[in-house]
Amino acid sequence: MDYFPLFYQITNRPCLVVGGGEVAARKVTLLLKAGAKVTVVSPELGPTLAQWKAENKISHIADKFSPEQIEQQALIIACTDDEAINQQVHETAVKNNIPVNVVDNPKLCTFVVPSIIDRSPVVAAVSTGGASPVLARLIRARLETMIPAGYGKLASIAAAFRGKVKERFSNPADRRIFWEKILQGSIAEMVFSGHEKEAEQAIDKALIESDEVSMGEVYLVGAGPGDPDLLTFRALRLMQQADVIVNDRLVSKEIMELCRRDAEIIYVGKERDKHAVPQEDINQLLVRLAREGKRVCRLKGGDPFIFGRGGEEIDTLAEEGVQFQVVPAITAASGAASYAGIPLTHRDYSQAVVFVTGNRKDGTVNLNWDALAHENQTIVFYMGLMGLDVICQQMMAHGLSEKTPVALVQKATTPEQKVFIGDLATMPDIVKNSDIKPPTLIIVGEVVKLHEKLSWFQS
Ligand code: SAH
């Protein structure tokens, strides 16, 4: 280890920054965040530092660096483009035993400034010892996705309960077990989803009846249309923390591979020639697993609240008193539209967009055609392949031109995405003569014309 990692207290202490440009401003930002009293030495200041000077956030010595400025400083950062000055700052600091960092010059540094993930009071720092700041930044970006934004709040709540928990559990091992349950279970999730008050009440309750913490919970998570890159941070985190994953057909293999390695996987989708697990059984399964104390990730394609029957699943959970949360996601219409270069609305062509299911509960395609068949609006049919003939006929019968453009997007956002373009008159035949693989989405409206110009996804 080339450097000793530590976090340094500089609140209300003098810190010196030599240099007045934008790099200096970035360093000053960090120092101010940590509560330092910053003095900037530079004959001139860039716009950011000049503004902070005007707002009295920093002191300014409008001169060149000279050694006596170093006295009493808690730390020094130099970022001038004059090597002789950088060298002089380094030497003076070392002589006075004051930590010094010369930006982009590891040889002149007695400390390095890490890349940080700031969830104050939680701060994670990454350093490559100056070897590659870019690599440190990439590692930081990965950690950013894994450390929820709510960790700061969680830490503050933990701090507030520290005394009470110590009083309740005199044995340190019991305390540790208690905190482990709180910090990674349903109570932590309450904090992450903005329900701090409820979390505090739950901790109080758990302190009285400590089994309460072992109750499981259900995450109803949208997995997006297929491309794993389109997952949300929260979806990924919950997929990696759940004990059980309950998934269905629409969740892609690549996304399943991102789930926790040792999680139990329960597939409830339709197998070829077989039926899917009935909805009521899925609802009951989720309740049972949560009651067993498990963290259950119910993973669904697209967004759980758009033709995903998410409402029915949480209805049962709410009735049975099981803790749950819903994680929204990119719905197939958004994914298909972006990846096929078909904006769903456009000032020149479409002022409204309607999402509709082409498949009614009883298997018919019986829609309010008068409301759907309008120019200047885009209609996206989910589950519409079976009813495509009826859809095209009815849209024409209710006033749309047979030349109204139609796109069928197969397996949107996946490597097997294909876009078929036609119009209301030709689309049924195009589909009959092609080998179409589900899932598919049908987009009707003038915006489809933009596909040729705007598509960027190779298909
Ligand atoms: N909750 C999902 C929709 C579930 S309904 C969502 O928000 O996207 C299932 C229908 O969604 C499929 O029949 C198909 O019409 C559409 N669909 C889902 N994923 C798709 C994809 N990758 N490409 C095209 N259509 C998709």
Side-chain angles (χ1 to χ4, degrees), residues 224-226 249-250 300-308 330-333 336 381-384 409-414 439-442:
R249 192 174 48 91
L250 280 176
K300 288 175 150 314
D303 182 282
F305 276 6
I306 296 181
F307 308 127
I330 291 176
T331 188
F381 290 92
Y382 285 68
M383 297 173 269
V409 188
Q410 151 188 310
K411 296 197 156 194
T413 81
T414 73
T440 62
L441 204 73
I442 298 158

Side-chain angles (χ1 to χ4, degrees), residues 52 118 171 182 398:
W52 290 344
D118 186 3
N171 178 347
I182 299 283
H398 287 77

